[in-house]
Amino acid sequence: MSTDRPFGLSTDRSFEGRVALVTGGSGGIGAAICRHLALAGASVAIGYASNAEPAEALAAELTDGARSAQAFGADLADPSAPAELIAGIERALGGVDVLVANHGRAHQAAYEDIDAEAFDRTLAINLRAPFLLAQAALPGMRERGFGRVLFISSAAAFRGGVIGPDYAASKAGLHGLTHFLASRTAKDGVTVNALAPGFIQTAMLPGDPAALAESVPVGRVGEPEEVADLALAILRNAYLTNHVLSLDGGMHPR
Ligand SMILES: NC(=O)c1ccc[n+]([C@@H]2O[C@H](COP(=O)([O-])OP(=O)(O)OC[C@H]3O[C@@H](n4cnc5c(N)ncnc54)[C@H](OP(=O)(O)O)[C@@H]3O)[C@@H](O)[C@H]2O)c1
């Protein structure tokens, strides 16, 4: 599937004038969400940890006369990084209207082999950082009367998955975070939701796509553009909040 012209969005300008941060924008799903948001008119802050090159290349691709896209490096394992990242984006692009906390650590290991340090590291990146990002972005969103927060979790939150207990627990934690924050910000024009993908064709895919596809009713792994398509639908909709939506080819009906 081409990423040049995501389906359904050629005339959608819903995010004109908005500033969006997508963490993990150097990765597969994050890059697709950045492209969709830029096509919908947003100025996009592309977050990365160590892979500056794809984030910078994407920023160059998405910048045109009417909107800007900029790469922002931050290791979100550092507890001070989320607030610094939000403040840096506010200085460069303006207040963050749309936060897509998409970055993630997926360290595949048997539960017997995960020590306290590895467990804490996964939780720090996958759960603490999304909370701290939201905590830093929400005051501005509430003040402006518009905000969108979307946490990218995982089908592993429901099924356990194949990566590790730390990963599954961190993603399930995002669902609790969604419910806590959504109920407290809904009256201020802010929606908070989570999107839980199943197997998606990116560098993080935990195994051979053909083998993994055998457990998927649709018969294939998903594409990053399919995740981005649903992410935009969630972000556009002012009446959808406090929900966790799955996108998994039918693996986990609920
Ligand atoms: N692919 C799947 O099958 C699948 C399924 C369910 C859920 N998900 C979730 O989808 C999200 C995106 O994953 P992906 O599939 O697009 O994987 P990916 O291509 O490997 O991208 C992962 C992204 O996370 C960033 N990241 C990792 N550690 C970070 C840190 N300490 N601080 C800041 N950023 C960090 C990476 O930045 P650098 O490149 O700069 O290191 C990269 O941009 C993740 O939250 C993942 O858990 C993926």
Side-chain angles (χ1 to χ4, degrees), residues 23-30 47-52 54 74-77 101-106 121 125-126 152-156 167 171 196-206:
T23 62
S26 49
I29 292 172
Y48 68 91
S50 52
N51 286 309
D75 177 3
L76 295 171
N102 159 80
H103 70 278
R105 160 182 154 94
R121 181 164 173 77
I125 295 170
N126 289 8
I152 303 299
S153 66
S154 171
Y167 181 82
K171 294 301 190 178
F199 296 131
I200 307 298
Q201 182 70 64
T202 72
M204 198 184 276
L205 192 66

Side-chain angles (χ1 to χ4, degrees), residues 3 25 28 31 33 39 103 133 147 168-169 196 222 237:
T3 54
I33 295 174
L39 275 169
H103 70 278
L133 285 164
N237 199 314

Side-chain angles (χ1 to χ4, degrees), residues 15-21 37-38 41-45 66-70 93:
F15 292 94
E16 197 89 64
R18 304 288 188 197
V19 174
L21 164 62
L37 279 166
S43 289
V44 183
R67 62 167 187 247
S68 54
Q70 204 172 309
L93 299 175

